Amino acid sequence: MTSFGDLLGPQPTLLTGDDEAESDLLNGADPASVAAEHPTASIAWAYLAEAALDGATTGAEPDTARIIAGYAYARTGYHRGLDQLRRHGWKGFGPVPWSHEQNQGFLRCVGALARAAEAIGEEDEHLRCLDLLNDSDPRAIAELGLD
């Protein structure tokens, strides 16, 4: 049985993460340095994307450069996460639980990509990201504050 109750569906995908990158980030290392040292670690790209997007749309004029930087960081982490998911047996669908901490880098990148896409008016991409989050784990959208 999967974690979302579908007896015939695939088992949840649980990423192994990058312990060194995660530790560095938790200990306050610069996310850009961590991404440079661990370019496959989605969590580093998530930190960069979220930092670029935070506050980028709160002023009278959106900070387009920061939004685009956030979009690029999020897209990079998203693709690195897809690579990891496939290596762990994911076939493009099925649960990727938020509760498994090592999945959160990928899910946070998808959430940041949704935010950035919405900010630049790329509605199709925004909706695709929300669908992916919902398909991965219905809790993820709420956990990321996207509801």
Side-chain angles (χ1 to χ4, degrees):
M1 183 167 155
T2 69
S3 64
F4 303 126
D6 183 352
L7 294 172
L8 301 176
Q11 290 297 309
T13 302
L14 306 176
L15 297 176
T16 53
D18 185 319
D19 292 340
E20 190 174 333
E22 292 166 16
S23 176
D24 289 349
L25 291 164
L26 289 173
N27 288 311
D30 173 45
S33 296
V34 175
E37 291 176 32
H38 306 277
T40 62
S42 289
I43 191 67
W45 297 105
Y47 270 70
L48 289 167
E50 292 164 350
L53 293 170
D54 286 347
T57 59
T58 57
E61 290 292 319
D63 188 337
T64 305
R66 284 181 53 196
I67 294 167
I68 296 302
Y71 187 105
Y73 291 137
R75 171 99 30 218
T76 300
Y78 162 80
H79 281 286
R80 292 302 187 138
L82 288 176
D83 292 342
Q84 293 169 1
L85 285 166
R86 289 181 188 116
R87 281 194 303 274
H88 283 79
W90 190 73
K91 304 290 188 215
F93 61 92
V96 182
W98 174 266
S99 60
H100 183 70
E101 192 171 328
Q102 290 84 355
N103 289 349
Q104 291 179 14
F106 168 72
L107 296 169
R108 285 171 59 183
C109 284
V110 177
L113 187 55
R115 288 175 54 201
E118 181 179 38
I120 62 172
E122 192 181 7
E123 191 61 19
D124 287 346
E125 181 70 356
H126 174 242
L127 294 175
R128 272 191 299 274
C129 290
L130 294 179
D131 286 345
L132 177 56
L133 287 170
N134 191 52
D135 291 345
S136 295
D137 185 340
R139 284 185 35 210
I141 290 174
E143 292 287 343
L144 293 166
L146 298 172
D147 50 356

